[in-house]
Amino acid sequence: MGLRKGQKPLLAFYWEVRRMDGVPEAVKEWYWQEVKRLTLRSLFYWILIAIVLPVLSPLFKGVVIGPLPSLHWYINGFIVIALGVILIFWYAARMNRLDQELERKLKEGR
């Protein structure tokens, strides 16, 4: 995935925002609150996926889908990994949207 013409790498944009003295304090505070909220929400989801779901997997011992072994094997071996990868992509998409919103606010001068 390449950058569009004139587009800065995300990390460069982030550091530019951190160094800018002209950014209104309200915008900085808004961005930080949104990042914290997104990070805490992601942590909560990760705890559910990586800890709670495997702990509860013995409850699925009798659940069988067709000729496959019991579902509790798949929760620990595949479903947790797949949900973890989905969570990573979800977080990246949400963070990109948040950065675009920040860039829009900075261009508007709010």
Side-chain angles (χ1 to χ4, degrees):
M1 237 170 116
L3 296 174
R4 288 183 231 126
K5 188 174 183 176
Q7 185 181 11
K8 296 177 183 176
L10 185 60
L11 190 57
F13 174 72
Y14 173 74
W15 287 113
E16 185 177 300
V17 168
R18 289 196 47 140
R19 289 184 308 188
M20 291 174 65
D21 295 330
V23 176
E25 206 55 43
V27 173
K28 288 180 185 179
E29 187 63 31
W30 167 82
Y31 184 73
W32 177 241
Q33 292 302 321
E34 291 296 317
V35 169
K36 281 195 317 189
R37 195 178 83 195
L38 177 60
T39 303
L40 290 174
R41 184 185 303 167
S42 298
L43 177 65
F44 174 74
Y45 292 156
W46 181 248
I47 288 171
L48 285 177
I49 292 168
I51 297 173
V52 175
L53 197 56
V55 167
L56 297 177
S57 70
L59 297 175
F60 295 98
K61 234 177 195 165
V63 180
V64 178
I65 300 174
L68 300 173
S70 184
L71 188 58
H72 76 283
W73 289 97
Y74 293 104
I75 287 178
N76 291 331
F78 175 72
I79 294 174
V80 168
I81 294 170
L83 289 175
V85 170
I86 291 169
L87 179 65
I88 291 168
F89 281 101
W90 174 82
Y91 178 84
R94 295 292 299 238
M95 197 65 206
N96 281 341
R97 194 173 345 154
L98 184 59
D99 287 340
Q100 289 170 355
E101 179 71 17
L102 173 64
E103 193 169 7
R104 186 182 61 75
K105 284 183 180 246
L106 290 176
K107 285 181 181 176
E108 289 177 359
R110 285 203 267 157

